[in-house]
Amino acid sequence: MRVLISGAGIAGPTLSYWLARHGFEPTLVECAPKLRTGGYIIDFWGAGFDIADRMGLLPEIRRKGYMVEEVRVVDRNGRHIAGFSVKSLVRLAQDRYVSLPRGDLAASTFGKIEGRVETIFGDSVRAIEQSERGVHVTFERGAPRDFDLVVGADGLHSRVRELVFGPESQFEKYLGYKVAAFETQAYRPRDDLVYVMYTQVGQQVARFTMRDDRTMFLFIFADEDASFPADLQNQKALLRKQFGNGGWECPQILDALDAASDLYFDRVSQIRMDPKHGLWTRGRVTLIGDAAFCVSLLAGQGSALAMIGAYILAGELRRANGDYSKAFARYQQFFAPFVLEKQKAALRFAGYFAPKSRAALFLRNLMFNLLAFRWIANFAFGRGLSDKLRLPDYE
Ligand SMILES: Cc1cc2nc3c(=O)[nH]c(=O)nc-3n(C[C@H](O)[C@H](O)[C@H](O)COP(=O)(O)OP(=O)(O)OC[C@H]3O[C@@H](n4cnc5c(N)ncnc54)[C@H](O)[C@@H]3O)c2cc1C
């Protein structure tokens, strides 16, 4: 079976890997001219960690990753005002926990299929026509081609979803925050293995020190207006406007941003699709990862869920011997309830990132300090750090 997968982020390459392993013929199409390696540091644990293990990725992920030791909140003068040790979280995840740059996870996953799965960079699906015999796909640049199935793994702003299910506005739930991340060289100061964050009411900037003299930054800010500029210069200008009056290292971080050529900038949103209308599936087309069920940055698990969804979809296609309607139905039945829970949990976490009032900020910092007590850490994160999903074995 020939399967076209749109999007080479995290979900797309993972699905390609498992489909190829199960004897399918995947083709990956990515609109960017090369693999996109931007983004912030992500915490990786739970069932996503188990999939990485099954793909043989763990040694590389552990090598590229970081065992973060501390989350530290500072005030406008850089004084340590709150925080907690990450050790208790690592223990709760039974040591199957690592933090790594999203770009490194993307590169490692892609490394598993590079040269083995047909991959087209710099192109995108323009039209999708389904018939009983297959799917006829027209591309923006390449010649039209026929496939048996099409999978949209093209992220929050999925083209496949728009073409097959309708406009993004029908499915996107904007959570009232914008996020941006970038990386720079030779930034000072450095604090190894510490997430340092400076929070003002409704906005936060965080810094993470990496190997090879690299440093990563993450901005998050509340904004009622969901729109944002598409071009790099205006995105930088918006961040300067938002953080220009900030204390701590804001002025020098904004100077480093001026020199950056790659910036990840997006809304913090969830994608909620309607189970009454086929959820993520229409005929021979289905969706995975953020395209289907974006849980948002607030869940801290988007990449893991993208990998788990890809594993289950590929496995169900194998189990159903290519009977795609059966496989798509099982994939959804099994995975949708789990994802829905994660989306709800993410909403509960919204206030942790950039509390919208002084009182909420005070309580967040107090909560961080209380995490030093083991039973409070268990209470706050215990449920979240152990995925109740039992991964099926498809081989
Ligand atoms: C550059 C980048 C940086 C990110 N940084 C962060 C971060 O710092 N924090 C965070 O929480 N999340 C971040 N994300 C989102 C995070 O990667 C996802 O939430 C999660 O990994 C789910 O992965 P996914 O594969 O479903 O989607 P994504 O990782 O978003 O991948 C989607 C892929 O599809 C491609 N694509 C989009 N439209 C088309 C099209 N029309 N045709 C073909 N290909 C298309 C994109 O270029 C991208 O490579 C980032 C995503 C990207 C692309």
Side-chain angles (χ1 to χ4, degrees):
M1 263 188 145
R2 291 154 309 160
V3 185
L4 177 71
I5 302 163
S6 171
I10 306 291
T14 309
L15 180 66
S16 303
Y17 170 84
W18 287 104
L19 283 179
R21 189 152 151 176
H22 296 327
F24 293 80
E25 206 182 297
T27 294
L28 202 51
V29 60
E30 163 62 48
C31 64
K34 59 184 174 55
L35 193 72
R36 299 180 64 188
T37 52
Y40 194 58
I41 197 101
I42 55 168
D43 295 321
F44 199 57
W45 43 271
F49 196 97
D50 297 340
I51 305 284
D53 198 1
R54 289 181 191 201
M55 292 173 74
L57 282 168
L58 276 199
E60 193 173 332
I61 284 179
R62 288 217 189 262
R63 199 175 62 249
K64 289 180 172 175
Y66 300 84
M67 291 309 291
V68 177
E69 291 173 356
E70 183 190 343
V71 171
R72 183 186 302 163
V73 184
V74 296
D75 69 5
R76 58 178 303 112
N77 300 311
R79 270 193 313 252
H80 182 164
I81 52 168
F84 57 92
S85 155
V86 178
K87 281 193 191 119
S88 51
L89 307 191
V90 176
R91 188 179 33 78
L92 283 170
Q94 286 153 6
D95 274 333
R96 295 175 71 76
Y97 187 115
V98 66
S99 302
L100 81 163
R102 177 215 169 263
D104 283 350
L105 178 64
S108 296
T109 313
F110 187 74
K112 281 279 166 191
I113 54 157
E114 199 168 10
R116 294 187 208 161
V117 166
E118 183 194 12
T119 307
I120 305 158
F121 282 104
D123 207 349
S124 176
V125 170
R126 184 200 287 172
I128 294 174
E129 246 176 83
Q130 299 197 52
S131 70
E132 278 196 3
R133 294 203 340 271
V135 195
H136 184 68
V137 179
T138 315
F139 294 92
E140 294 291 348
R141 299 175 65 182
R145 285 171 65 174
D146 293 308
F147 296 91
D148 296 296
L149 304 173
V150 171
V151 181
D154 38 9
L156 176 58
H157 309 294
S158 167
R159 168 76 63 87
V160 172
R161 187 181 60 234
E162 185 178 25
L163 289 173
V164 178
F165 299 82
E168 186 169 297
S169 55
Q170 283 180 21
F171 310 109
E172 182 181 359
K173 181 178 165 57
Y174 174 55
L175 302 183
Y177 293 94
K178 308 252 170 67
V179 61
F182 79 102
E183 186 185 315
T184 191
Q185 280 293 130
Y187 184 88
R188 295 292 179 275
R190 290 172 60 82
D191 290 281
D192 286 314
L193 305 179
V194 186
Y195 288 113
V196 189
M197 48 178 79
Y198 166 61
T199 319
Q200 296 166 273
V201 172
Q203 64 184 57
Q204 174 167 288
V205 56
R207 142 159 90 65
F208 187 72
T209 296
M210 298 193 298
R211 295 181 196 98
D212 305 322
D213 212 3
R214 296 182 298 152
T215 302
M216 248 183 199
F217 298 95
L218 181 79
F219 300 94
I220 177 161
F221 60 97
D223 191 353
E224 292 306 317
D225 179 8
S227 65
F228 67 87
D231 66 294
L232 182 65
Q233 283 320 317
N234 283 315
Q235 290 174 352
K236 287 181 180 178
L238 181 56
L239 290 170
R240 190 166 271 285
K241 185 168 155 234
Q242 197 71 35
F243 291 87
N245 293 326
W248 186 49
E249 297 166 13
C250 281
Q252 81 191 70
I253 294 173
L254 290 169
D255 287 348
L257 172 67
D258 277 343
S261 57
D262 193 10
L263 174 71
Y264 165 71
F265 195 114
D266 213 336
R267 291 189 281 271
V268 176
S269 293
Q270 292 190 337
I271 292 295
R272 306 264 187 96
M273 299 188 69
D274 189 353
K276 288 194 213 92
H277 293 102
L279 197 60
W280 310 322
T281 300
R282 284 274 159 90
R284 291 174 176 267
V285 179
T286 196
L287 304 171
I288 54 168
D290 280 4
F293 48 73
C294 183
V295 285
S296 86
L297 164 96
L298 308 177
Q301 251 200 317
S303 302
L305 291 174
M307 293 180 83
I308 304 165
Y311 171 83
I312 293 169
L313 176 60
E316 291 300 341
L317 278 164
R318 177 193 161 122
R319 186 178 271 176
N321 240 331
D323 179 342
Y324 64 88
S325 44
K326 205 185 217 174
F328 290 173
R330 281 193 190 153
Y331 152 62
Q332 297 190 165
Q333 270 159 18
F334 184 70
F335 198 44
F338 183 71
V339 165
L340 211 65
E341 270 308 306
K342 295 285 178 192
Q343 288 192 321
K344 284 191 203 152
L347 298 184
R348 289 197 293 273
F349 264 97
Y352 281 80
F353 282 85
K356 288 185 179 167
S357 70
R358 275 184 183 283
L361 179 54
F362 174 79
L363 285 175
R364 195 273 317 249
N365 287 348
L366 182 68
M367 177 70 192
F368 277 3
N369 287 335
L370 291 174
L371 289 173
F373 298 100
R374 190 181 270 217
W375 64 272
I376 293 184
N378 282 358
F379 178 74
F381 291 112
R383 210 159 46 118
L385 280 174
S386 59
D387 281 335
K388 293 282 176 292
L389 194 77
R390 286 194 63 178
L391 288 175
D393 198 348
Y394 293 107
E395 285 176 304

